[in-house]
């Protein structure tokens, strides 16, 4: 294996430490405790795990964590009423509605009902527009975490060829905007892209965010490239025993690590950075809401 492993777990722990210090300072200097509200509708098991983890880490950095668990049949009217209450609550600086929502709820309508200043996911159309025009916005947490790892590893990204595989609103599109903002030459590839292996082979930076287990093999990777693997896919692992599973990314780790210059592991790469960036966004939102100087290094 030639690649350097980019340790997202360690970097995220460092970032959470930085967030905790800012939270303590905001409390001491301004008497304000940053607060994050997380709304979960239904019982999706993966979402429940994420929400529990977010709540735990929010409390660990000294912020207030407000959890709202609603049953799967909650009406859109009731969900919008909760969001309106959270928008109006001065103790809540960040609001996150865990996705996906049950089918009867209009995801766009719900997301766009969040006050853009409290939209710590950066999914509101105002924040999407601000990001794409290079203005100050709330930046989606997963791509922000990827950008921070890339900047830490490379310093400047200027002039690098970046290929983002995946065009989702949560990761692919905002990732491309952030890389463009850092002066990369950016290609967004997706399921209809022709000659995907050749497109990926031109990349100095590959961000894989498609949600397909080990889809990118090592022979697609340009020697020395940096591979950021956003995928978190659970697959059967009969080698660990009957019924056992394990997590893999969208890239075939061993073969990519042979060729790449640097690579993020799964787990322990992008995942922990996403939550650290959510906490950072919540502190940023709290500072902006209260006219407090924003800490350096916590946003794009
Ligand atoms: N579901 C999967 N990823 C995310 C995310 O980043 N934010 C929210 N709100 N839901 C998600």
């Amino acid at each position: 294996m030639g690649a350097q492993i980019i340790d997202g777990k360690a970097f995220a722990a460092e970032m959470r430490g930085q967030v905790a210090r800012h939270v303590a300072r905001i409390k001491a200097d301004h008497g304000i405790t940053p607060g994050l509200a997380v709304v979960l509708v239904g019982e999706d098991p993966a979402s429940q795990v994420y929400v529990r983890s977010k709540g735990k880490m929010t409390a660990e950095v000294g912020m207030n964590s407000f959890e709202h668990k609603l049953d799967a049949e909650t009406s859109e009217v009731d969900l919008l009423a909760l969001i309106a209450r959270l928008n109006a609550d001065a103790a809540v600086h960040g609001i996150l509605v865990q996705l996906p929502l049950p089918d009867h709820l209009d995801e766009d309508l719900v997301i766009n009902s969040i006050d853009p200043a409290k939209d710590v996911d950066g999914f509101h159309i105002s924040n999407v527009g601000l990001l794409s025009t290079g203005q100050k916005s709330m930046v989606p947490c997963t791509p922000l975490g990827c950008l921070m790892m890339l900047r830490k590893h490379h310093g400047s990204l200027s002039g690098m060829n970046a290929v983002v595989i995946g065009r989702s609103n949560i990761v692919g599109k905002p990732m491309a905007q952030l890389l463009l903002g850092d002066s990369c030459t950016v290609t967004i590839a997706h399921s209809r892209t022709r000659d995907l292996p050749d497109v990926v082979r031109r990349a100095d930076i590959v961000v894989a965010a498609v949600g397909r287990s080990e889809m990118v093999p090592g022979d697609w990777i340009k020697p020395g490239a940096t591979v950021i693997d956003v995928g978190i896919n659970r697959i059967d692992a009969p080698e660990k025993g009957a019924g056992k599973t394990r997590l893999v990314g969208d890239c075939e780790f061993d073969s990519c690590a042979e060729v790449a210059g640097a690579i993020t592991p799964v787990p322990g790469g992008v995942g922990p950075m996403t939550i650290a960036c959510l906490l950072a966004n919540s502190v940023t939102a709290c500072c902006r809401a209260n006219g407090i100087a924003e800490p350096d290094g916590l946003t794009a």
Side-chain angles (χ1 to χ4, degrees):
M1 185 179 74
Q4 182 183 332
I5 306 297
I6 299 177
D7 188 345
K9 196 172 161 189
F11 187 17
E14 203 181 293
M15 236 182 115
R16 291 197 306 274
Q18 213 182 330
V19 169
R21 286 191 292 280
H22 287 296
V23 169
R25 192 167 317 140
I26 293 168
K27 282 185 189 173
D29 293 352
H30 303 274
I32 297 166
T33 303
L36 170 65
V38 174
V39 179
L40 173 65
V41 186
E43 274 107 44
D44 177 70
S47 293
Q48 284 178 325
V49 172
Y50 289 136
V51 166
R52 205 173 311 130
S53 175
K54 283 168 189 168
K56 182 169 162 273
M57 297 212 178
T58 304
E60 272 174 18
V61 296
M63 300 193 331
N64 285 329
S65 169
F66 308 102
E67 274 185 29
H68 295 268
K69 293 188 176 158
L70 309 180
D71 66 49
E73 282 77 42
T74 299
S75 72
E76 201 162 84
V77 169
D78 286 348
L79 178 56
L80 293 176
L82 170 62
I83 293 173
R85 283 202 301 281
L86 297 173
N87 283 342
D89 186 341
V92 173
H93 304 99
I95 302 170
L96 178 146
V97 177
Q98 184 67 30
L99 303 178
L101 288 171
D103 287 345
H104 68 284
L105 299 169
D106 179 342
E107 222 158 77
D108 289 335
L109 180 73
V110 169
I111 296 300
N112 290 324
S113 72
I114 298 171
D115 177 347
K118 297 189 178 188
D119 168 36
V120 282
D121 262 327
F123 295 163
H124 189 288
I125 46 169
S126 296
N127 283 314
V128 175
L130 290 167
L131 177 63
S132 70
T133 50
Q135 300 179 71
K136 197 159 98 172
S137 66
M138 296 306 300
V139 177
C141 306
T142 299
L144 180 59
C146 296
L147 181 77
M148 293 203 166
M149 288 192 285
L150 285 166
R151 282 183 180 166
K152 188 175 164 84
H153 184 73
H154 286 284
S156 168
L157 308 180
S158 181
M160 296 178 87
N161 283 330
V163 172
V164 179
I165 316 174
R167 55 177 156 180
S168 71
N169 292 333
I170 294 184
V171 185
K173 288 179 201 161
M175 186 75 246
Q177 293 292 355
L178 288 171
L179 292 165
L180 199 54
D182 271 29
S183 302
C184 291
T185 303
V186 182
T187 303
I188 305 182
H190 47 77
S191 54
R192 302 292 172 89
T193 296
R194 293 204 188 116
D195 303 323
L196 182 61
D198 286 342
V199 171
V200 176
R201 276 185 202 112
R202 289 198 289 272
D204 305 308
I205 294 169
V206 179
V207 180
V210 270
R212 284 183 52 190
S213 315
E214 300 176 311
M215 188 193 105
V216 178
D219 68 355
W220 291 14
I221 303 298
K222 175 164 130 179
T226 299
V227 176
I228 305 290
D229 193 345
V230 180
I232 302 177
N233 312 292
R234 191 165 283 286
I235 62 166
D236 291 337
E239 73 279 6
K240 289 169 66 181
K244 296 285 184 191
T245 61
R246 64 189 174 99
L247 291 179
V248 296
D250 290 350
C251 301
E252 224 175 67
F253 183 82
D254 290 346
S255 64
C256 288
E258 292 277 326
V259 194
I263 188 167
T264 60
V266 178
V270 174
M273 287 300 292
T274 296
I275 297 189
C277 288
L278 172 68
L279 303 175
N281 277 352
S282 304
V283 169
T284 299
C286 175
C287 290
R288 290 180 188 171
N290 291 284
I292 300 169
E294 283 175 44
D296 284 335
L298 289 189
T299 192

